[in-house]
Amino acid sequence: MEKVFPSGFRSSRRHFLRGAGAATLALSPAPAFADAMTKLPLPGGPDERPITTAFPQKGAVILQRTRPPLLETPFEVFDQSVLTPNDRFFVRWHWAVIPTAVNVDTFRLTVHGHVNQTLSLSLNDILALPRVELVAINQCSGNSRGYFQPRVPGGEWSHGAMGNARWTGVRLKDVLDRAGVKAGAIQVRFNGMDEPVVPDAPDFMKSLEIDHARDGEVMLAYAMNGAQMPLLNGFPLRLIVPGWYADYWVKMLNDIEVLDQPDTNYWTTTAYRIPDTPHANVRPGETGVKFVPISRMVPRSFITNIKEGDTLQVGASTLARGIAFGGDSGVSRVDFSSDDGKSWHDAALGTDEGKYSFRQWQHRFTPPAKGAQVLKVRCTNSGGEAQPDMPNWNPSGFMRNVIERTAVVVA
Amino acid sequence: MGRVLLPIALVAGVVFAPVCTRAQHPLSLKSVSVDLPPGADMFPNGPGADAVNNNCLACHSADMVLNQPALSKAQWQAQVNLMRTAYKAPIDTKDVDAILDYLVSIKGGK
């Protein structure tokens, strides 16, 4: 409880972390056990999940679904570093036909549609483009779905369908410029090498507006945290859409189509939609609500070193620490409460790794009296948006960002 | 399929900025070939288990269903419909009732 972040908490940590990003990967823990179970405190259950080490290029992760893989990052990983190690980074695939081999010599990325010239780019062509890096959070739209009440069907995630990585690759803008986007282009559609088992099922594709695609931040990444990206995270190329939910971050990207008409594919027009209401919140069963595509992320924060049910010592100086993120903007402040939200205290923030990154925070407090208590943490982003007091609800279990509570016992 | 570490200089040498930063160093990527767990476990025995095994396991492993919370029959009906209409699961019409009854029997709500 008394130790600070294993990775340190000094602002001078920047250079250490940059070197450590790669080193952490090489040394990342990979417990030998394969059959252990973990408990996710999902209301009503089932709450048991296997911890698995059976997936390639992956260490110990929570098995949500074997095929196509849904692998969750165990929550304690978020206490260990601001960057999520590649081998613990969550995995989510839609369709079960996933290429299990990538040949870096024969792979081609096709860029076509409303462009001056169709491109077929090798990985060497892409490596020859200006290389860029960005730290950004990749979070599933349905992260924490298992905490929705009433419960909703879907991947029953705890809070580990997210991760933060330093992505290395090229700007999408540079690739599009090389093809030459024609006047009248309105969207860009992205397709990966995964395929549905049933041939006439909708292939997984996502689209971005043309200006978003050309904003200079959206990337095609081939490496994360200083190492070649694991296949299950999208190697050889993954679309990086900073500040937006992970459904847009198309994996094994091999086809980019510039459109002069709106994309009407299933995954853009029908799936991944949220109520067009504050916090994407509706009452269960509510009808007549307009739905819109999910897009920008919203602020969240977590305590990572104190777990639900932990015992704290009365009168003892106690360190709480964790991570926060602003969503589509940076972290402005993090407030901590050790009395169920009656009083809030400004937490110290760790190194700023960029507005799309996790931001570590910490706060020292002294529990004054014995008994049950609730710890809370609240992030306010640089746009002034704070986490809400009340949980949202929608039929797909998307976009949870309520102030989370950690019930403890002071003894 | 060994993990290829980029030169440390790549991550250590760039100037920090909240948006993309440039870094130009030699970099090579390696071909990769992996095996994925088959996820071939069958559903627990019970009335309708054959219909579920025959119609559901082509696209996803059983754990997806077994990890779901208790859902009402109407919610399960909606899920089966979603699989058939949106995701084109070729479920034989005569199996639909058996699948639904099985799902309600193992994961039924109020």
mmCIF file with all atom_site columns, all heavy atoms in Angstrom, chain A residues 18 64 66-67 100 102 131 133 154 217 226 228 352, chain B residues 6 16 24-25 30 32 34 38 57 61 63 67-68:
data_model
loop_
_atom_site.group_PDB
_atom_site.id
_atom_site.type_symbol
_atom_site.label_atom_id
_atom_site.label_alt_id
_atom_site.label_comp_id
_atom_site.label_asym_id
_atom_site.label_entity_id
_atom_site.label_seq_id
_atom_site.pdbx_PDB_ins_code
_atom_site.Cartn_x
_atom_site.Cartn_y
_atom_site.Cartn_z
_atom_site.occupancy
_atom_site.B_iso_or_equiv
_atom_site.pdbx_formal_charge
_atom_site.auth_seq_id
_atom_site.auth_comp_id
_atom_site.auth_asym_id
_atom_site.auth_atom_id
_atom_site.pdbx_PDB_model_num
ATOM 1   N N   . ARG A 1 18  ? 10.189  5.884   -21.410 1.00 0.00 ? 18  ARG A N   1
ATOM 2   C CA  . ARG A 1 18  ? 10.348  5.631   -22.848 1.00 0.00 ? 18  ARG A CA  1
ATOM 3   C C   . ARG A 1 18  ? 11.260  4.456   -23.090 1.00 0.00 ? 18  ARG A C   1
ATOM 4   O O   . ARG A 1 18  ? 11.032  3.657   -23.971 1.00 0.00 ? 18  ARG A O   1
ATOM 5   C CB  . ARG A 1 18  ? 10.870  6.877   -23.542 1.00 0.00 ? 18  ARG A CB  1
ATOM 6   C CG  . ARG A 1 18  ? 9.778   7.885   -23.590 1.00 0.00 ? 18  ARG A CG  1
ATOM 7   C CD  . ARG A 1 18  ? 10.089  9.059   -24.460 1.00 0.00 ? 18  ARG A CD  1
ATOM 8   N NE  . ARG A 1 18  ? 8.978   9.974   -24.306 1.00 0.00 ? 18  ARG A NE  1
ATOM 9   C CZ  . ARG A 1 18  ? 8.087   10.191  -25.248 1.00 0.00 ? 18  ARG A CZ  1
ATOM 10  N NH1 . ARG A 1 18  ? 8.196   9.615   -26.410 1.00 0.00 ? 18  ARG A NH1 1
ATOM 11  N NH2 . ARG A 1 18  ? 7.086   10.993  -25.038 1.00 0.00 ? 18  ARG A NH2 1
ATOM 12  N N   . GLN A 1 64  ? -12.763 -14.395 -21.891 1.00 0.00 ? 64  GLN A N   1
ATOM 13  C CA  . GLN A 1 64  ? -14.195 -14.099 -21.995 1.00 0.00 ? 64  GLN A CA  1
ATOM 14  C C   . GLN A 1 64  ? -14.842 -14.976 -23.075 1.00 0.00 ? 64  GLN A C   1
ATOM 15  O O   . GLN A 1 64  ? -15.978 -15.413 -22.921 1.00 0.00 ? 64  GLN A O   1
ATOM 16  C CB  . GLN A 1 64  ? -14.416 -12.622 -22.329 1.00 0.00 ? 64  GLN A CB  1
ATOM 17  C CG  . GLN A 1 64  ? -14.069 -11.667 -21.190 1.00 0.00 ? 64  GLN A CG  1
ATOM 18  C CD  . GLN A 1 64  ? -15.180 -11.586 -20.144 1.00 0.00 ? 64  GLN A CD  1
ATOM 19  O OE1 . GLN A 1 64  ? -16.157 -12.321 -20.178 1.00 0.00 ? 64  GLN A OE1 1
ATOM 20  N NE2 . GLN A 1 64  ? -15.021 -10.678 -19.193 1.00 0.00 ? 64  GLN A NE2 1
ATOM 21  N N   . THR A 1 66  ? -13.455 -17.873 -26.287 1.00 0.00 ? 66  THR A N   1
ATOM 22  C CA  . THR A 1 66  ? -12.303 -18.490 -26.949 1.00 0.00 ? 66  THR A CA  1
ATOM 23  C C   . THR A 1 66  ? -12.285 -18.183 -28.449 1.00 0.00 ? 66  THR A C   1
ATOM 24  O O   . THR A 1 66  ? -11.245 -17.874 -29.015 1.00 0.00 ? 66  THR A O   1
ATOM 25  C CB  . THR A 1 66  ? -12.331 -20.025 -26.744 1.00 0.00 ? 66  THR A CB  1
ATOM 26  O OG1 . THR A 1 66  ? -12.516 -20.293 -25.362 1.00 0.00 ? 66  THR A OG1 1
ATOM 27  C CG2 . THR A 1 66  ? -11.055 -20.663 -27.229 1.00 0.00 ? 66  THR A CG2 1
ATOM 28  N N   . ARG A 1 67  ? -13.467 -18.264 -29.089 1.00 0.00 ? 67  ARG A N   1
ATOM 29  C CA  . ARG A 1 67  ? -13.517 -18.126 -30.554 1.00 0.00 ? 67  ARG A CA  1
ATOM 30  C C   . ARG A 1 67  ? -14.773 -17.383 -30.974 1.00 0.00 ? 67  ARG A C   1
ATOM 31  O O   . ARG A 1 67  ? -15.858 -17.844 -30.642 1.00 0.00 ? 67  ARG A O   1
ATOM 32  C CB  . ARG A 1 67  ? -13.473 -19.525 -31.192 1.00 0.00 ? 67  ARG A CB  1
ATOM 33  C CG  . ARG A 1 67  ? -13.658 -19.549 -32.705 1.00 0.00 ? 67  ARG A CG  1
ATOM 34  C CD  . ARG A 1 67  ? -13.530 -20.949 -33.248 1.00 0.00 ? 67  ARG A CD  1
ATOM 35  N NE  . ARG A 1 67  ? -14.382 -21.900 -32.534 1.00 0.00 ? 67  ARG A NE  1
ATOM 36  C CZ  . ARG A 1 67  ? -15.669 -22.104 -32.854 1.00 0.00 ? 67  ARG A CZ  1
ATOM 37  N NH1 . ARG A 1 67  ? -16.231 -21.479 -33.844 1.00 0.00 ? 67  ARG A NH1 1
ATOM 38  N NH2 . ARG A 1 67  ? -16.395 -22.949 -32.150 1.00 0.00 ? 67  ARG A NH2 1
ATOM 39  N N   . THR A 1 100 ? -4.138  -16.697 -39.495 1.00 0.00 ? 100 THR A N   1
ATOM 40  C CA  . THR A 1 100 ? -3.206  -17.023 -38.414 1.00 0.00 ? 100 THR A CA  1
ATOM 41  C C   . THR A 1 100 ? -1.762  -16.846 -38.850 1.00 0.00 ? 100 THR A C   1
ATOM 42  O O   . THR A 1 100 ? -0.843  -17.150 -38.092 1.00 0.00 ? 100 THR A O   1
ATOM 43  C CB  . THR A 1 100 ? -3.418  -18.464 -37.924 1.00 0.00 ? 100 THR A CB  1
ATOM 44  O OG1 . THR A 1 100 ? -3.356  -19.345 -39.049 1.00 0.00 ? 100 THR A OG1 1
ATOM 45  C CG2 . THR A 1 100 ? -4.763  -18.604 -37.237 1.00 0.00 ? 100 THR A CG2 1
ATOM 46  N N   . VAL A 1 102 ? 0.850   -14.044 -41.099 1.00 0.00 ? 102 VAL A N   1
ATOM 47  C CA  . VAL A 1 102 ? 1.052   -12.815 -41.861 1.00 0.00 ? 102 VAL A CA  1
ATOM 48  C C   . VAL A 1 102 ? 2.452   -12.876 -42.449 1.00 0.00 ? 102 VAL A C   1
ATOM 49  O O   . VAL A 1 102 ? 3.429   -13.013 -41.710 1.00 0.00 ? 102 VAL A O   1
ATOM 50  C CB  . VAL A 1 102 ? 0.913   -11.563 -40.977 1.00 0.00 ? 102 VAL A CB  1
ATOM 51  C CG1 . VAL A 1 102 ? 1.317   -10.314 -41.757 1.00 0.00 ? 102 VAL A CG1 1
ATOM 52  C CG2 . VAL A 1 102 ? -0.515  -11.436 -40.451 1.00 0.00 ? 102 VAL A CG2 1
ATOM 53  N N   . ARG A 1 131 ? 7.581   8.181   -40.183 1.00 0.00 ? 131 ARG A N   1
ATOM 54  C CA  . ARG A 1 131 ? 7.132   7.386   -39.041 1.00 0.00 ? 131 ARG A CA  1
ATOM 55  C C   . ARG A 1 131 ? 6.675   8.313   -37.915 1.00 0.00 ? 131 ARG A C   1
ATOM 56  O O   . ARG A 1 131 ? 7.336   9.294   -37.622 1.00 0.00 ? 131 ARG A O   1
ATOM 57  C CB  . ARG A 1 131 ? 8.275   6.507   -38.547 1.00 0.00 ? 131 ARG A CB  1
ATOM 58  C CG  . ARG A 1 131 ? 7.880   5.568   -37.423 1.00 0.00 ? 131 ARG A CG  1
ATOM 59  C CD  . ARG A 1 131 ? 9.056   4.711   -37.016 1.00 0.00 ? 131 ARG A CD  1
ATOM 60  N NE  . ARG A 1 131 ? 9.581   4.001   -38.167 1.00 0.00 ? 131 ARG A NE  1
ATOM 61  C CZ  . ARG A 1 131 ? 10.803  3.467   -38.216 1.00 0.00 ? 131 ARG A CZ  1
ATOM 62  N NH1 . ARG A 1 131 ? 11.611  3.576   -37.192 1.00 0.00 ? 131 ARG A NH1 1
ATOM 63  N NH2 . ARG A 1 131 ? 11.201  2.839   -39.292 1.00 0.00 ? 131 ARG A NH2 1
ATOM 64  N N   . GLU A 1 133 ? 4.600   8.505   -33.859 1.00 0.00 ? 133 GLU A N   1
ATOM 65  C CA  . GLU A 1 133 ? 4.261   7.780   -32.633 1.00 0.00 ? 133 GLU A CA  1
ATOM 66  C C   . GLU A 1 133 ? 3.206   8.560   -31.884 1.00 0.00 ? 133 GLU A C   1
ATOM 67  O O   . GLU A 1 133 ? 3.178   9.797   -31.928 1.00 0.00 ? 133 GLU A O   1
ATOM 68  C CB  . GLU A 1 133 ? 5.475   7.649   -31.718 1.00 0.00 ? 133 GLU A CB  1
ATOM 69  C CG  . GLU A 1 133 ? 6.500   6.681   -32.208 1.00 0.00 ? 133 GLU A CG  1
ATOM 70  C CD  . GLU A 1 133 ? 7.529   6.418   -31.131 1.00 0.00 ? 133 GLU A CD  1
ATOM 71  O OE1 . GLU A 1 133 ? 7.643   7.239   -30.201 1.00 0.00 ? 133 GLU A OE1 1
ATOM 72  O OE2 . GLU A 1 133 ? 8.190   5.397   -31.217 1.00 0.00 ? 133 GLU A OE2 1
ATOM 73  N N   . GLY A 1 154 ? -24.058 -9.537  -24.411 1.00 0.00 ? 154 GLY A N   1
ATOM 74  C CA  . GLY A 1 154 ? -22.852 -9.064  -25.102 1.00 0.00 ? 154 GLY A CA  1
ATOM 75  C C   . GLY A 1 154 ? -21.619 -9.600  -24.402 1.00 0.00 ? 154 GLY A C   1
ATOM 76  O O   . GLY A 1 154 ? -21.716 -10.458 -23.538 1.00 0.00 ? 154 GLY A O   1
ATOM 77  N N   . GLU A 1 217 ? -3.805  12.865  -37.217 1.00 0.00 ? 217 GLU A N   1
ATOM 78  C CA  . GLU A 1 217 ? -3.655  12.078  -35.987 1.00 0.00 ? 217 GLU A CA  1
ATOM 79  C C   . GLU A 1 217 ? -4.021  10.614  -36.206 1.00 0.00 ? 217 GLU A C   1
ATOM 80  O O   . GLU A 1 217 ? -3.438  9.727   -35.575 1.00 0.00 ? 217 GLU A O   1
ATOM 81  C CB  . GLU A 1 217 ? -4.537  12.655  -34.869 1.00 0.00 ? 217 GLU A CB  1
ATOM 82  C CG  . GLU A 1 217 ? -4.026  13.961  -34.309 1.00 0.00 ? 217 GLU A CG  1
ATOM 83  C CD  . GLU A 1 217 ? -4.736  14.379  -33.040 1.00 0.00 ? 217 GLU A CD  1
ATOM 84  O OE1 . GLU A 1 217 ? -5.866  13.911  -32.781 1.00 0.00 ? 217 GLU A OE1 1
ATOM 85  O OE2 . GLU A 1 217 ? -4.174  15.191  -32.302 1.00 0.00 ? 217 GLU A OE2 1
ATOM 86  N N   . GLY A 1 226 ? 6.886   -0.121  -28.644 1.00 0.00 ? 226 GLY A N   1
ATOM 87  C CA  . GLY A 1 226 ? 8.249   -0.386  -29.085 1.00 0.00 ? 226 GLY A CA  1
ATOM 88  C C   . GLY A 1 226 ? 8.495   -1.764  -29.646 1.00 0.00 ? 226 GLY A C   1
ATOM 89  O O   . GLY A 1 226 ? 9.644   -2.111  -29.932 1.00 0.00 ? 226 GLY A O   1
ATOM 90  N N   . GLN A 1 228 ? 6.930   -5.084  -32.337 1.00 0.00 ? 228 GLN A N   1
ATOM 91  C CA  . GLN A 1 228 ? 5.972   -5.478  -33.364 1.00 0.00 ? 228 GLN A CA  1
ATOM 92  C C   . GLN A 1 228 ? 4.641   -5.836  -32.702 1.00 0.00 ? 228 GLN A C   1
ATOM 93  O O   . GLN A 1 228 ? 4.600   -6.545  -31.698 1.00 0.00 ? 228 GLN A O   1
ATOM 94  C CB  . GLN A 1 228 ? 6.534   -6.682  -34.125 1.00 0.00 ? 228 GLN A CB  1
ATOM 95  C CG  . GLN A 1 228 ? 5.631   -7.217  -35.199 1.00 0.00 ? 228 GLN A CG  1
ATOM 96  C CD  . GLN A 1 228 ? 6.358   -8.204  -36.102 1.00 0.00 ? 228 GLN A CD  1
ATOM 97  O OE1 . GLN A 1 228 ? 7.470   -7.965  -36.534 1.00 0.00 ? 228 GLN A OE1 1
ATOM 98  N NE2 . GLN A 1 228 ? 5.705   -9.325  -36.385 1.00 0.00 ? 228 GLN A NE2 1
ATOM 99  N N   . ASP A 1 352 ? 2.433   13.625  -18.021 1.00 0.00 ? 352 ASP A N   1
ATOM 100 C CA  . ASP A 1 352 ? 1.485   13.757  -19.129 1.00 0.00 ? 352 ASP A CA  1
ATOM 101 C C   . ASP A 1 352 ? 2.082   13.102  -20.363 1.00 0.00 ? 352 ASP A C   1
ATOM 102 O O   . ASP A 1 352 ? 3.049   13.584  -20.943 1.00 0.00 ? 352 ASP A O   1
ATOM 103 C CB  . ASP A 1 352 ? 1.223   15.245  -19.382 1.00 0.00 ? 352 ASP A CB  1
ATOM 104 C CG  . ASP A 1 352 ? 0.160   15.477  -20.434 1.00 0.00 ? 352 ASP A CG  1
ATOM 105 O OD1 . ASP A 1 352 ? -0.310  14.485  -21.036 1.00 0.00 ? 352 ASP A OD1 1
ATOM 106 O OD2 . ASP A 1 352 ? -0.206  16.644  -20.657 1.00 0.00 ? 352 ASP A OD2 1
ATOM 107 N N   . LEU B 2 6   ? 12.068  -2.725  -31.146 1.00 0.00 ? 6   LEU B N   1
ATOM 108 C CA  . LEU B 2 6   ? 12.580  -1.620  -31.935 1.00 0.00 ? 6   LEU B CA  1
ATOM 109 C C   . LEU B 2 6   ? 13.779  -1.054  -31.187 1.00 0.00 ? 6   LEU B C   1
ATOM 110 O O   . LEU B 2 6   ? 13.916  -1.241  -29.984 1.00 0.00 ? 6   LEU B O   1
ATOM 111 C CB  . LEU B 2 6   ? 11.519  -0.535  -32.072 1.00 0.00 ? 6   LEU B CB  1
ATOM 112 C CG  . LEU B 2 6   ? 10.162  -0.974  -32.607 1.00 0.00 ? 6   LEU B CG  1
ATOM 113 C CD1 . LEU B 2 6   ? 9.309   0.257   -32.854 1.00 0.00 ? 6   LEU B CD1 1
ATOM 114 C CD2 . LEU B 2 6   ? 10.292  -1.776  -33.873 1.00 0.00 ? 6   LEU B CD2 1
ATOM 115 N N   . PHE B 2 16  ? 8.801   14.755  -26.836 1.00 0.00 ? 16  PHE B N   1
ATOM 116 C CA  . PHE B 2 16  ? 7.439   14.479  -26.413 1.00 0.00 ? 16  PHE B CA  1
ATOM 117 C C   . PHE B 2 16  ? 6.467   15.532  -26.923 1.00 0.00 ? 16  PHE B C   1
ATOM 118 O O   . PHE B 2 16  ? 6.744   16.714  -26.906 1.00 0.00 ? 16  PHE B O   1
ATOM 119 C CB  . PHE B 2 16  ? 7.369   14.437  -24.892 1.00 0.00 ? 16  PHE B CB  1
ATOM 120 C CG  . PHE B 2 16  ? 5.986   14.303  -24.389 1.00 0.00 ? 16  PHE B CG  1
ATOM 121 C CD1 . PHE B 2 16  ? 5.348   13.081  -24.463 1.00 0.00 ? 16  PHE B CD1 1
ATOM 122 C CD2 . PHE B 2 16  ? 5.289   15.392  -23.923 1.00 0.00 ? 16  PHE B CD2 1
ATOM 123 C CE1 . PHE B 2 16  ? 4.050   12.944  -24.032 1.00 0.00 ? 16  PHE B CE1 1
ATOM 124 C CE2 . PHE B 2 16  ? 3.993   15.271  -23.494 1.00 0.00 ? 16  PHE B CE2 1
ATOM 125 C CZ  . PHE B 2 16  ? 3.364   14.040  -23.551 1.00 0.00 ? 16  PHE B CZ  1
ATOM 126 N N   . GLN B 2 24  ? 12.639  8.509   -37.058 1.00 0.00 ? 24  GLN B N   1
ATOM 127 C CA  . GLN B 2 24  ? 13.111  7.770   -38.228 1.00 0.00 ? 24  GLN B CA  1
ATOM 128 C C   . GLN B 2 24  ? 14.339  6.936   -37.870 1.00 0.00 ? 24  GLN B C   1
ATOM 129 O O   . GLN B 2 24  ? 15.414  7.452   -37.662 1.00 0.00 ? 24  GLN B O   1
ATOM 130 C CB  . GLN B 2 24  ? 13.435  8.732   -39.373 1.00 0.00 ? 24  GLN B CB  1
ATOM 131 C CG  . GLN B 2 24  ? 12.211  9.264   -40.090 1.00 0.00 ? 24  GLN B CG  1
ATOM 132 C CD  . GLN B 2 24  ? 11.430  8.174   -40.820 1.00 0.00 ? 24  GLN B CD  1
ATOM 133 O OE1 . GLN B 2 24  ? 11.941  7.098   -41.072 1.00 0.00 ? 24  GLN B OE1 1
ATOM 134 N NE2 . GLN B 2 24  ? 10.193  8.447   -41.150 1.00 0.00 ? 24  GLN B NE2 1
ATOM 135 N N   . HIS B 2 25  ? 14.145  5.650   -37.779 1.00 0.00 ? 25  HIS B N   1
ATOM 136 C CA  . HIS B 2 25  ? 15.241  4.733   -37.534 1.00 0.00 ? 25  HIS B CA  1
ATOM 137 C C   . HIS B 2 25  ? 14.937  3.474   -38.317 1.00 0.00 ? 25  HIS B C   1
ATOM 138 O O   . HIS B 2 25  ? 13.787  3.205   -38.646 1.00 0.00 ? 25  HIS B O   1
ATOM 139 C CB  . HIS B 2 25  ? 15.356  4.401   -36.042 1.00 0.00 ? 25  HIS B CB  1
ATOM 140 C CG  . HIS B 2 25  ? 15.801  5.565   -35.214 1.00 0.00 ? 25  HIS B CG  1
ATOM 141 N ND1 . HIS B 2 25  ? 17.111  5.875   -35.016 1.00 0.00 ? 25  HIS B ND1 1
ATOM 142 C CD2 . HIS B 2 25  ? 15.086  6.510   -34.559 1.00 0.00 ? 25  HIS B CD2 1
ATOM 143 C CE1 . HIS B 2 25  ? 17.200  6.964   -34.262 1.00 0.00 ? 25  HIS B CE1 1
ATOM 144 N NE2 . HIS B 2 25  ? 15.982  7.365   -33.974 1.00 0.00 ? 25  HIS B NE2 1
ATOM 145 N N   . LYS B 2 30  ? 8.690   -8.744  -38.852 1.00 0.00 ? 30  LYS B N   1
ATOM 146 C CA  . LYS B 2 30  ? 8.913   -10.179 -39.080 1.00 0.00 ? 30  LYS B CA  1
ATOM 147 C C   . LYS B 2 30  ? 7.594   -10.885 -39.357 1.00 0.00 ? 30  LYS B C   1
ATOM 148 O O   . LYS B 2 30  ? 6.582   -10.605 -38.708 1.00 0.00 ? 30  LYS B O   1
ATOM 149 C CB  . LYS B 2 30  ? 9.547   -10.804 -37.834 1.00 0.00 ? 30  LYS B CB  1
ATOM 150 C CG  . LYS B 2 30  ? 10.930  -10.235 -37.478 1.00 0.00 ? 30  LYS B CG  1
ATOM 151 C CD  . LYS B 2 30  ? 12.014  -10.874 -38.334 1.00 0.00 ? 30  LYS B CD  1
ATOM 152 C CE  . LYS B 2 30  ? 13.410  -10.446 -37.883 1.00 0.00 ? 30  LYS B CE  1
ATOM 153 N NZ  . LYS B 2 30  ? 13.755  -9.083  -38.305 1.00 0.00 ? 30  LYS B NZ  1
ATOM 154 N N   . VAL B 2 32  ? 4.807   -13.676 -39.175 1.00 0.00 ? 32  VAL B N   1
ATOM 155 C CA  . VAL B 2 32  ? 4.344   -14.324 -37.957 1.00 0.00 ? 32  VAL B CA  1
ATOM 156 C C   . VAL B 2 32  ? 3.329   -15.401 -38.335 1.00 0.00 ? 32  VAL B C   1
ATOM 157 O O   . VAL B 2 32  ? 2.573   -15.246 -39.302 1.00 0.00 ? 32  VAL B O   1
ATOM 158 C CB  . VAL B 2 32  ? 3.734   -13.283 -36.990 1.00 0.00 ? 32  VAL B CB  1
ATOM 159 C CG1 . VAL B 2 32  ? 2.576   -12.553 -37.624 1.00 0.00 ? 32  VAL B CG1 1
ATOM 160 C CG2 . VAL B 2 32  ? 3.309   -13.912 -35.682 1.00 0.00 ? 32  VAL B CG2 1
ATOM 161 N N   . VAL B 2 34  ? 0.793   -18.238 -36.171 1.00 0.00 ? 34  VAL B N   1
ATOM 162 C CA  . VAL B 2 34  ? 0.349   -18.616 -34.828 1.00 0.00 ? 34  VAL B CA  1
ATOM 163 C C   . VAL B 2 34  ? -0.715  -19.711 -34.915 1.00 0.00 ? 34  VAL B C   1
ATOM 164 O O   . VAL B 2 34  ? -1.265  -19.991 -35.991 1.00 0.00 ? 34  VAL B O   1
ATOM 165 C CB  . VAL B 2 34  ? -0.246  -17.405 -34.070 1.00 0.00 ? 34  VAL B CB  1
ATOM 166 C CG1 . VAL B 2 34  ? 0.763   -16.266 -33.982 1.00 0.00 ? 34  VAL B CG1 1
ATOM 167 C CG2 . VAL B 2 34  ? -1.535  -16.930 -34.715 1.00 0.00 ? 34  VAL B CG2 1
ATOM 168 N N   . PRO B 2 38  ? -8.844  -23.882 -30.443 1.00 0.00 ? 38  PRO B N   1
ATOM 169 C CA  . PRO B 2 38  ? -10.015 -24.148 -31.284 1.00 0.00 ? 38  PRO B CA  1
ATOM 170 C C   . PRO B 2 38  ? -11.341 -23.718 -30.659 1.00 0.00 ? 38  PRO B C   1
ATOM 171 O O   . PRO B 2 38  ? -12.286 -23.399 -31.378 1.00 0.00 ? 38  PRO B O   1
ATOM 172 C CB  . PRO B 2 38  ? -9.975  -25.662 -31.480 1.00 0.00 ? 38  PRO B CB  1
ATOM 173 C CG  . PRO B 2 38  ? -9.161  -26.175 -30.337 1.00 0.00 ? 38  PRO B CG  1
ATOM 174 C CD  . PRO B 2 38  ? -8.173  -25.101 -30.009 1.00 0.00 ? 38  PRO B CD  1
ATOM 175 N N   . LEU B 2 57  ? -22.183 -23.261 -32.761 1.00 0.00 ? 57  LEU B N   1
ATOM 176 C CA  . LEU B 2 57  ? -20.737 -23.363 -32.563 1.00 0.00 ? 57  LEU B CA  1
ATOM 177 C C   . LEU B 2 57  ? -19.917 -23.102 -33.814 1.00 0.00 ? 57  LEU B C   1
ATOM 178 O O   . LEU B 2 57  ? -18.689 -22.991 -33.746 1.00 0.00 ? 57  LEU B O   1
ATOM 179 C CB  . LEU B 2 57  ? -20.384 -24.745 -31.993 1.00 0.00 ? 57  LEU B CB  1
ATOM 180 C CG  . LEU B 2 57  ? -20.903 -24.991 -30.568 1.00 0.00 ? 57  LEU B CG  1
ATOM 181 C CD1 . LEU B 2 57  ? -20.521 -26.391 -30.093 1.00 0.00 ? 57  LEU B CD1 1
ATOM 182 C CD2 . LEU B 2 57  ? -20.343 -23.949 -29.604 1.00 0.00 ? 57  LEU B CD2 1
ATOM 183 N N   . SER B 2 61  ? -17.597 -19.925 -29.891 1.00 0.00 ? 61  SER B N   1
ATOM 184 C CA  . SER B 2 61  ? -17.477 -20.962 -28.879 1.00 0.00 ? 61  SER B CA  1
ATOM 185 C C   . SER B 2 61  ? -18.589 -20.827 -27.835 1.00 0.00 ? 61  SER B C   1
ATOM 186 O O   . SER B 2 61  ? -19.227 -19.777 -27.708 1.00 0.00 ? 61  SER B O   1
ATOM 187 C CB  . SER B 2 61  ? -16.095 -20.908 -28.219 1.00 0.00 ? 61  SER B CB  1
ATOM 188 O OG  . SER B 2 61  ? -15.773 -19.583 -27.857 1.00 0.00 ? 61  SER B OG  1
ATOM 189 N N   . ASP B 2 63  ? -18.489 -20.677 -24.654 1.00 0.00 ? 63  ASP B N   1
ATOM 190 C CA  . ASP B 2 63  ? -18.279 -19.831 -23.480 1.00 0.00 ? 63  ASP B CA  1
ATOM 191 C C   . ASP B 2 63  ? -18.943 -18.456 -23.617 1.00 0.00 ? 63  ASP B C   1
ATOM 192 O O   . ASP B 2 63  ? -19.302 -17.829 -22.627 1.00 0.00 ? 63  ASP B O   1
ATOM 193 C CB  . ASP B 2 63  ? -16.784 -19.710 -23.114 1.00 0.00 ? 63  ASP B CB  1
ATOM 194 C CG  . ASP B 2 63  ? -15.880 -19.459 -24.313 1.00 0.00 ? 63  ASP B CG  1
ATOM 195 O OD1 . ASP B 2 63  ? -16.399 -19.251 -25.422 1.00 0.00 ? 63  ASP B OD1 1
ATOM 196 O OD2 . ASP B 2 63  ? -14.645 -19.485 -24.131 1.00 0.00 ? 63  ASP B OD2 1
ATOM 197 N N   . ASN B 2 67  ? -21.161 -17.362 -20.425 1.00 0.00 ? 67  ASN B N   1
ATOM 198 C CA  . ASN B 2 67  ? -20.783 -16.194 -19.625 1.00 0.00 ? 67  ASN B CA  1
ATOM 199 C C   . ASN B 2 67  ? -21.859 -15.116 -19.600 1.00 0.00 ? 67  ASN B C   1
ATOM 200 O O   . ASN B 2 67  ? -21.668 -14.070 -18.962 1.00 0.00 ? 67  ASN B O   1
ATOM 201 C CB  . ASN B 2 67  ? -19.475 -15.589 -20.145 1.00 0.00 ? 67  ASN B CB  1
ATOM 202 C CG  . ASN B 2 67  ? -18.266 -16.419 -19.745 1.00 0.00 ? 67  ASN B CG  1
ATOM 203 O OD1 . ASN B 2 67  ? -18.314 -17.158 -18.775 1.00 0.00 ? 67  ASN B OD1 1
ATOM 204 N ND2 . ASN B 2 67  ? -17.193 -16.302 -20.507 1.00 0.00 ? 67  ASN B ND2 1
ATOM 205 N N   . GLN B 2 68  ? -22.974 -15.344 -20.293 1.00 0.00 ? 68  GLN B N   1
ATOM 206 C CA  . GLN B 2 68  ? -24.039 -14.340 -20.270 1.00 0.00 ? 68  GLN B CA  1
ATOM 207 C C   . GLN B 2 68  ? -24.768 -14.366 -18.930 1.00 0.00 ? 68  GLN B C   1
ATOM 208 O O   . GLN B 2 68  ? -24.846 -15.401 -18.264 1.00 0.00 ? 68  GLN B O   1
ATOM 209 C CB  . GLN B 2 68  ? -25.045 -14.610 -21.405 1.00 0.00 ? 68  GLN B CB  1
ATOM 210 C CG  . GLN B 2 68  ? -24.456 -14.423 -22.796 1.00 0.00 ? 68  GLN B CG  1
ATOM 211 C CD  . GLN B 2 68  ? -23.886 -13.040 -23.004 1.00 0.00 ? 68  GLN B CD  1
ATOM 212 O OE1 . GLN B 2 68  ? -24.588 -12.040 -22.880 1.00 0.00 ? 68  GLN B OE1 1
ATOM 213 N NE2 . GLN B 2 68  ? -22.591 -12.970 -23.298 1.00 0.00 ? 68  GLN B NE2 1
#
